[in-house]
Amino acid sequence: MSGQVKYLLSEDEIPTHWVNIVPDLPGEPLPPLHPGTKEPLGPEDLAPIFPMALIEQEVSTEPDIEIPEEVREVLKLWRPTPLYRAWRLERHLDTPAHIYYKYEGVSPAGSHKPNTAVAQGYYNREAGIRKLSTETGAGQWGSALAFACQIFGLECEVFMVGVSYDQKPYRRAIIETSGGTVHRSPSDLTEAGRAQAGHPTGSLGIAISEAVEIAAGAEDTNYALGSVLGHVCLHQTVIGEECIRQMEMAGEYPDIVIGCVGGGSNYAGIAYPFIREKFRDSRPTRFIAAEPAACPTLTRGEYSYDFGDTVGLTPLMPMYTLGHDFVPPPFHAGGLRYHGDSPTLCALVKEGVIEARAFPQTATFEAAIRFAQCEGIIPAPEPAHAIRAVFDEAEKAKQEGVERTILFNLCGHGHFDMGAYEAYHAGKLEDLEFSEADMEQALERLPEAPALA
Amino acid sequence: MSGQVKYLLSEDEIPTHWVNIVPDLPGEPLPPLHPGTKEPLGPEDLAPIFPMALIEQEVSTEPDIEIPEEVREVLKLWRPTPLYRAWRLERHLDTPAHIYYKYEGVSPAGSHKPNTAVAQGYYNREAGIRKLSTETGAGQWGSALAFACQIFGLECEVFMVGVSYDQKPYRRAIIETSGGTVHRSPSDLTEAGRAQAGHPTGSLGIAISEAVEIAAGAEDTNYALGSVLGHVCLHQTVIGEECIRQMEMAGEYPDIVIGCVGGGSNYAGIAYPFIREKFRDSRPTRFIAAEPAACPTLTRGEYSYDFGDTVGLTPLMPMYTLGHDFVPPPFHAGGLRYHGDSPTLCALVKEGVIEARAFPQTATFEAAIRFAQCEGIIPAPEPAHAIRAVFDEAEKAKQEGVERTILFNLCGHGHFDMGAYEAYHAGKLEDLEFSEADMEQALERLPEAPALA
């Protein structure tokens, strides 16, 4: 042992602007399309469920967007988050690679999600909104939004996927501790829910429909989404901006930036500020997105316009997709069980700027446990995918005898995922498959829309 | 809003010495007594289960004891921990009090416990020990020790109280993730366990007996305890030492230092460095120890020699006690369910240096939830008692119109205690009683030993 472990910034070093990657992307951005007309979407199409400030961010081509002072004040409760040098892990892996990780698990919800929940809460309150509705699967996003609503004096109504509601009472208790209301979805509060009455498990698709219906039906209520959209990725870029300064403190620059991808926001958060530097300064930085082999959107999906939700009510977005009604098998990284990905992130994969890799579940838990034993932090199942990719790159550096600098986003802790670790220790964790048949079905189910290059 | 929220120290500001309060205590320290002879205990009596370095710390009268460099290296994984100014809570309480809290929940186990687990792991490895055995109730201490053992290459064998083993599989999964072995207690691995075969729930008393038996029976195995003893309190003083520097950064000095007390180590950790300053510099600082009304050791217990364990195998210690075989009712702050308290802490209560207060369970959860809504951290049920005391003192400051500075120890998060919050939200949390009859029984069960002044 060795040297400095943690690189900390002071509160006045919380970024003042978010990084908007859109103006630096090659080519013109592909617009989202109206689900009915298939014409490019206008701001007015989104106004019933989002405040205008967020719609403007969604279409902005400004490279830097100022963070409101009141948002920065709330971020001070946990930001800047620490950057760690993983000395013990490096020694364990016997690698010449230098491994750094950004730790977002210190936030109120235990993940990166509050970075955007707080911004969304702020803009909605400024717009005179009284209540936000949303869906949640495992509960991570629901607890982040409930916290933000509490801070800004908004009501928060969360539609929680039925099976999670039944199996994860603790996540529900967290949302309630933040003053949020949780409904088991399908509920009898919405038409969408009543139409599915008796559905045994519910699904994210149904829960989204319920939350959007509530928001669309009331003047003073809006909807909030936890990933995929442009403004959500934007709000997450504080992660990468802080990393740039912290890597400077460490006297290094990453050769590789790694993160897991579900909807794409945590990886966008750490990667986009570095991708902008790659574009502007012609840096050779590599970017690796890690996803589950059982939901291999980026590695095996089709690049196509598709709906964001299962039912097909949202705009069509240009992205890698497994088909909007694909229901991923029940692996434990609930935050990665999504059929598509953020359009900007997909565009960067398409351009070859971001490399995508898929990993089976048991290999990710094996890596997560070795990480925890070295570093003392139990990772959530989602960033365990990033850790698996880090292990592989560290091994490559060893084989090649190169001192390579790897940075990854440890986007959340696993304190509410110990059931998955329990299953691993009991030898009950399985690698779930994504088959050729799944892939063929996915292609058949794509909606009619203009083809993508 | 307001000003700086977090006061952070750099890694080279991790304390170099622990604060030993013993030489500053008024009068001669009362010795522990041999459970058989009732004579003062010698180092040789403890040698079968503790390494000599820890036994020396247990009896040391040096005011400052150096922290080994290798221990400080491990502490760097999470220390120094942050000190927060609770601006939002102050505003919510509408109090002129300035409220600061030290947050120990950032550690690997999510509490202060690893501060001593790491030190104990280090000294045992230095002594050539190969394995540590211990007991755990809710699992907090077991996971801290398993982490420390993993770091120092020791085996870790944890006897977990049967009912917790059955009800808290997640804590078990954490211990296993750190490479520890967990046995349901009573087990068939020890005589103590076999004698209790069929016991439906197990108890901390039985689990201690099993862990001690394993340690006493093998040359290469020692026993580790997570609270009460002098060396454990000593290792926790890094908390208060960091606070002294962080309060300096904030330009304030606490008028009141508050913490919860079970065995006493987290409160000793934050309070002893300030108590030493009180003694040496004649400061007017007040100290408040918060305990559960259903296990009111300091507020209603007898100051007497008593055993540390239920069975009566440990040395007799001078302390406030409810009787060594008192089984506290099943309230949720598992870490506060202990019949006695650290002897040094009890001596300071006896001297009037520390004031003790007892709080019913529902009032502590009510305070914890309001704290979480303001500050974004869900407290463990144990420090919820400290928060309740803080609320009362903040209200007093308001009534008196005095700008008072309050510091408390938020010794752990509640991520593994959400069942208790769930019960609170469902209106199912009860205030459990400690009756006059309980007290009378306690006095009857005290062992014969020299009376205390």
Side-chain angles (χ1 to χ4, degrees):
Chain A
M1 293 296 296
S2 310
Q4 194 167 343
V5 171
K6 299 183 293 298
Y7 295 88
L8 305 174
L9 297 168
S10 65
E11 288 169 13
D12 51 19
E13 293 173 290
I14 291 174
T16 56
H17 293 72
W18 289 300
V19 169
N20 182 16
I21 196 69
V22 171
D24 282 271
L25 289 179
E28 281 295 299
L30 295 162
L33 306 181
H34 189 282
T37 65
K38 313 270 165 87
E39 293 297 318
L41 211 65
E44 68 285 0
D45 295 314
L46 296 171
I49 58 168
F50 293 122
M52 198 46 69
L54 291 179
I55 296 172
E56 282 166 11
Q57 288 178 5
E58 198 60 30
V59 298
S60 171
T61 54
E62 287 298 312
D64 298 285
I65 295 178
E66 192 168 4
I67 307 178
E69 196 48 42
E70 204 177 333
V71 170
R72 295 179 75 231
E73 278 295 331
V74 181
L75 295 183
K76 277 162 112 182
L77 287 174
W78 73 96
R79 302 209 75 84
T81 60
L83 177 78
Y84 287 82
R85 171 80 184 263
W87 294 102
R88 286 173 194 278
L89 181 65
E90 290 171 22
R91 212 166 40 193
H92 168 73
L93 295 174
D94 189 24
T95 177
H98 296 188
I99 303 175
Y100 292 84
Y101 59 96
K102 180 73 163 169
Y103 185 40
E104 291 291 306
V106 296
S107 85
S111 78
H112 62 292
K113 295 285 186 192
N115 294 330
T116 184
V118 168
Q120 293 190 47
Y122 168 79
Y123 287 116
N124 275 290
R125 190 210 57 195
E126 288 295 284
I129 290 298
R130 199 183 54 77
K131 182 163 96 175
L132 289 179
S133 69
T134 198
E135 72 288 338
T136 200
Q140 206 23 287
W141 169 242
S143 45
L145 192 68
F147 161 74
C149 285
Q150 175 69 32
I151 289 281
F152 290 109
L154 301 170
E155 279 184 49
C156 184
E157 200 162 348
V158 180
F159 291 85
M160 189 166 184
V161 175
V163 62
S164 295
Y165 183 94
D166 298 337
Q167 291 176 356
K168 303 210 165 195
Y170 295 171
R171 269 288 177 196
R172 209 190 331 148
I174 292 176
I175 298 172
E176 288 170 353
T177 297
S178 286
T181 307
V182 189
H183 306 296
R184 188 185 191 284
S185 172
S187 77
D188 58 2
L189 298 170
T190 65
E191 272 187 46
R194 287 188 294 269
Q196 298 283 344
H199 192 292
T201 61
S203 74
L204 213 46
I206 301 169
I208 292 177
S209 301
E210 292 205 85
V212 170
E213 185 181 324
I214 290 284
E219 269 297 314
D220 62 356
T221 302
N222 268 344
Y223 171 70
L225 193 65
S227 191
V228 180
L229 294 180
H231 68 270
V232 180
C233 294
L234 179 79
H235 300 156
Q236 295 295 352
T237 57
V238 291
I239 301 171
E241 292 179 271
E242 288 176 6
C243 283
I244 286 177
R245 300 193 207 176
Q246 289 166 312
M247 292 300 302
E248 267 172 30
M249 290 166 75
E252 304 217 50
Y253 195 89
D255 296 302
I256 313 178
V257 179
I258 297 177
C260 64
V261 172
S265 75
N266 98 75
Y267 187 56
I270 195 166
Y272 285 5
F274 286 101
I275 289 177
R276 179 153 93 178
E277 292 201 339
K278 178 187 178 74
F279 287 151
R280 294 187 178 178
D281 308 335
S282 300
R283 287 181 178 272
T285 326
R286 287 173 55 212
F287 296 88
I288 300 175
E291 64 179 13
C295 187
T297 319
L298 296 172
T299 48
R300 298 179 61 190
E302 183 80 2
Y303 193 54
S304 168
Y305 270 109
D306 201 357
F307 298 110
D309 68 327
T310 310
V311 183
L313 298 173
T314 72
L316 290 161
M317 292 181 291
M319 58 185 182
Y320 286 94
T321 175
L322 300 173
H324 60 279
D325 55 356
F326 171 65
V327 178
F331 55 85
H332 286 281
L336 307 185
R337 298 181 66 233
Y338 187 63
H339 68 276
D341 271 318
S342 156
T344 49
L345 196 143
C346 290
L348 286 159
V349 171
K350 182 74 182 162
E351 288 288 332
V353 177
I354 295 174
E355 308 161 39
R357 308 256 177 87
F359 299 98
Q361 158 160 279
T362 52
T364 68
F365 275 91
E366 190 260 345
I369 287 166
R370 287 165 67 191
F371 176 87
Q373 294 186 344
C374 295
E375 300 294 314
I377 298 173
I378 296 179
E382 292 84 2
H385 291 73
I387 294 170
R388 180 74 259 171
V390 169
F391 277 35
D392 290 355
E393 290 301 318
E395 177 62 24
K396 245 184 251 171
K398 183 180 173 182
Q399 298 300 336
E400 297 167 14
V402 184
E403 197 183 82
R404 205 165 271 152
T405 300
I406 301 172
L407 167 67
F408 77 96
N409 195 15
L410 183 56
C411 63
H413 61 61
H415 297 173
F416 300 105
D417 305 284
M418 292 311 300
Y421 281 89
E422 196 194 355
Y424 179 89
H425 292 306
K428 289 183 185 159
L429 212 62
E430 287 178 297
D431 285 334
L432 303 163
E433 297 278 317
F434 182 82
S435 66
E436 282 305 318
D438 286 331
M439 193 63 241
E440 278 170 37
Q441 280 201 333
L443 296 184
E444 281 168 23
R445 286 173 309 210
L446 290 179
E448 279 187 39
L452 297 176
Chain B
M1 293 298 296
S2 311
Q4 193 167 344
V5 171
K6 299 183 295 297
Y7 295 90
L8 305 175
L9 298 168
S10 65
E11 288 169 12
D12 50 19
E13 293 172 292
I14 291 174
T16 56
H17 293 72
W18 290 300
V19 169
N20 182 17
I21 195 69
V22 171
D24 282 270
L25 288 179
E28 280 295 300
L30 295 163
L33 306 181
H34 191 283
T37 64
K38 312 272 166 84
E39 292 297 319
L41 212 64
E44 67 287 358
D45 294 314
L46 296 170
I49 58 170
F50 292 122
M52 199 44 70
L54 291 179
I55 295 172
E56 281 165 11
Q57 289 178 5
E58 198 61 30
V59 297
S60 172
T61 54
E62 287 299 313
D64 299 285
I65 295 177
E66 191 167 6
I67 307 177
E69 196 48 42
E70 204 177 333
V71 170
R72 294 179 75 233
E73 278 295 330
V74 180
L75 295 182
K76 278 164 121 183
L77 287 174
W78 74 95
R79 302 208 75 86
T81 61
L83 177 78
Y84 287 83
R85 172 80 184 263
W87 294 102
R88 288 173 193 277
L89 181 66
E90 290 172 22
R91 213 165 42 194
H92 167 73
L93 295 174
D94 189 25
T95 176
H98 296 189
I99 303 175
Y100 292 85
Y101 59 96
K102 180 72 163 170
Y103 185 40
E104 291 291 306
V106 296
S107 84
S111 78
H112 61 293
K113 295 285 186 193
N115 294 330
T116 184
V118 168
Q120 293 189 46
Y122 168 80
Y123 288 117
N124 276 290
R125 191 210 58 194
E126 288 295 285
I129 290 298
R130 199 183 55 76
K131 182 163 97 175
L132 289 179
S133 70
T134 198
E135 72 288 339
T136 200
Q140 208 22 288
W141 169 242
S143 46
L145 192 68
F147 161 73
C149 285
Q150 176 69 33
I151 290 281
F152 291 109
L154 301 171
E155 278 184 52
C156 183
E157 200 162 353
V158 181
F159 291 85
M160 190 167 185
V161 176
V163 63
S164 294
Y165 183 94
D166 299 336
Q167 291 177 357
K168 304 211 165 194
Y170 294 172
R171 269 288 176 197
R172 210 192 329 149
I174 292 177
I175 297 171
E176 287 169 354
T177 296
S178 285
T181 307
V182 189
H183 305 296
R184 189 185 190 283
S185 170
S187 76
D188 58 3
L189 298 169
T190 66
E191 271 187 46
R194 286 188 293 269
Q196 298 283 344
H199 192 291
T201 60
S203 74
L204 213 47
I206 300 169
I208 292 177
S209 301
E210 292 205 85
V212 169
E213 185 180 324
I214 291 283
E219 269 298 314
D220 62 355
T221 302
N222 267 344
Y223 171 70
L225 193 65
S227 190
V228 180
L229 295 180
H231 68 270
V232 181
C233 294
L234 178 79
H235 300 157
Q236 295 295 353
T237 57
V238 290
I239 301 171
E241 292 179 272
E242 289 176 6
C243 282
I244 286 178
R245 299 193 210 176
Q246 289 167 312
M247 291 300 301
E248 267 172 29
M249 290 167 75
E252 303 218 52
Y253 196 89
D255 297 303
I256 313 178
V257 179
I258 296 176
C260 64
V261 172
S265 75
N266 98 76
Y267 187 54
I270 195 167
Y272 285 4
F274 286 102
I275 289 177
R276 179 154 91 179
E277 292 201 339
K278 179 188 177 75
F279 286 151
R280 293 187 179 178
D281 309 334
S282 300
R283 288 183 178 269
T285 327
R286 286 173 54 213
F287 295 87
I288 300 175
E291 64 178 12
C295 187
T297 318
L298 296 172
T299 49
R300 297 179 62 189
E302 184 81 3
Y303 193 56
S304 169
Y305 268 110
D306 201 357
F307 298 110
D309 67 328
T310 308
V311 184
L313 297 173
T314 73
L316 289 162
M317 292 181 290
M319 59 185 180
Y320 285 93
T321 175
L322 300 172
H324 60 280
D325 57 356
F326 171 64
V327 179
F331 56 84
H332 286 280
L336 308 185
R337 297 182 66 233
Y338 187 63
H339 68 277
D341 272 318
S342 154
T344 49
L345 196 142
C346 291
L348 286 159
V349 170
K350 183 75 182 164
E351 287 288 331
V353 177
I354 295 174
E355 309 161 38
R357 306 256 178 85
F359 299 97
Q361 161 159 277
T362 53
T364 66
F365 274 91
E366 191 260 346
I369 287 167
R370 289 164 67 191
F371 176 87
Q373 294 186 345
C374 295
E375 300 293 316
I377 299 172
I378 296 179
E382 291 83 1
H385 291 72
I387 294 171
R388 180 73 259 172
V390 169
F391 276 34
D392 290 356
E393 290 301 317
E395 178 61 24
K396 246 183 247 170
K398 184 180 173 182
Q399 298 299 337
E400 297 168 14
V402 184
E403 196 181 84
R404 206 166 270 151
T405 301
I406 302 171
L407 167 67
F408 77 96
N409 195 15
L410 183 55
C411 64
H413 61 61
H415 297 174
F416 299 105
D417 305 284
M418 292 313 297
Y421 281 88
E422 196 194 358
Y424 179 89
H425 293 307
K428 289 184 185 158
L429 213 61
E430 288 178 296
D431 285 334
L432 303 163
E433 297 277 316
F434 183 82
S435 67
E436 283 305 317
D438 286 332
M439 193 63 241
E440 277 171 38
Q441 280 199 334
L443 296 185
E444 281 169 22
R445 286 174 309 211
L446 290 179
E448 276 187 41
L452 296 176

